[in-house]
Amino acid sequence: MSTTPPVLAAELALAWADIQRHHPELPDLAAPESLIGESSSACGAELSFERLLHEAVHGIAAARGVRDTSRAGRYHNRRFLAIAEELGLDHADEPHPSSGFSLVMLNPEARRRYRPTIERLSRALKAHTAATATDTARSFRGPAARHGSSGGGVRVKAVCDCGRNVRVVPSVLAQAPIVCGGCGKPFRIPEVAAVG
């Protein structure tokens, strides 16, 4: 077993503590390892300092009692954006139709402020990626701890032969079949006929 995940979790905790030094109301990060391998299209699939700062926005919103998302945590509203700006994150002027202001990026001032932390976390992420590169084929990465969803991302309708359907993230369905309790057959995502 690799020792890289605990090292990465420790680096995530140190990076979080650095953010807390600048924003003391940010709650402690209870489980840094919960961010490792979690995928969420609303927040970006890859773990990075920018993504960590994005999660810190949610932490501060929770500490303030601010509802910063809707649509099961996918749509990031203007309250999210206001806190993101406080933490040094910029966004395009117009929200994305399905995820709102979730796609934020470090502004130059924040990049300078956190440069040593960004570099340290980046090294730990590269080491983690190298150590786990062969481990991805059979690894289950969900559920997304932040919103209690199963992996985050955009859900689509999957159907079975008896007509029942479920909403599922395609990558979750690709990991292993989800079997219908009614007919015992696997759910599948129907092919969409091309309109020509």
Side-chain angles (χ1 to χ4, degrees):
M1 175 147 179
S2 170
T3 59
T4 306
V7 170
L8 180 54
E11 287 297 336
L12 286 165
L14 287 171
W16 192 266
D18 192 23
I19 298 168
Q20 283 179 310
R21 277 193 287 283
H22 297 281
H23 304 280
E25 69 184 304
L26 178 62
D28 291 339
L29 182 59
E33 60 278 1
S34 69
L35 294 172
I36 300 170
E38 180 184 300
S39 175
S40 173
S41 65
C43 306
E46 289 187 23
L47 188 54
S48 65
F49 183 77
E50 215 163 56
R51 166 99 182 279
L52 193 63
L53 207 53
H54 174 122
E55 297 300 333
V57 172
H58 291 302
I60 289 175
R64 293 178 181 173
V66 171
R67 186 166 180 205
D68 63 339
T69 63
S70 59
R71 302 180 197 166
R74 289 186 305 273
Y75 191 86
H76 294 60
N77 59 35
R78 291 193 184 276
R79 291 181 293 272
F80 170 87
L81 182 58
I83 298 170
E85 289 171 350
E86 289 177 39
L87 271 68
L89 293 166
D90 287 336
H91 189 279
D93 292 336
E94 295 299 316
H96 184 275
S98 63
S99 62
F101 294 102
S102 69
L103 302 175
V104 289
M105 61 205 97
L106 280 168
N107 67 29
E109 181 184 332
R111 192 171 298 282
R112 280 189 300 278
R113 177 186 315 135
Y114 293 112
R115 177 170 280 122
T117 303
I118 292 168
E119 290 171 357
R120 198 174 60 241
L121 183 59
S122 180
R123 284 191 300 272
L125 285 165
K126 284 179 186 170
H128 175 72
T129 300
T132 59
T134 59
D135 185 35
T136 57
R138 297 189 48 84
S139 295
F140 178 70
R141 300 294 188 192
R146 185 181 53 267
H147 301 299
S149 63
S150 57
V154 178
R155 288 166 177 74
V156 297
K157 183 165 77 170
V159 298
C160 72
D161 289 343
C162 71
R164 297 179 72 208
N165 65 70
V166 295
R167 305 291 274 167
V168 64
V169 178
S171 63
V172 171
L173 190 59
Q175 291 173 5
I178 297 174
V179 180
C180 174
C183 69
K185 295 191 177 174
F187 284 94
R188 59 183 167 66
I189 298 172
E191 299 277 332
V192 178
V195 178

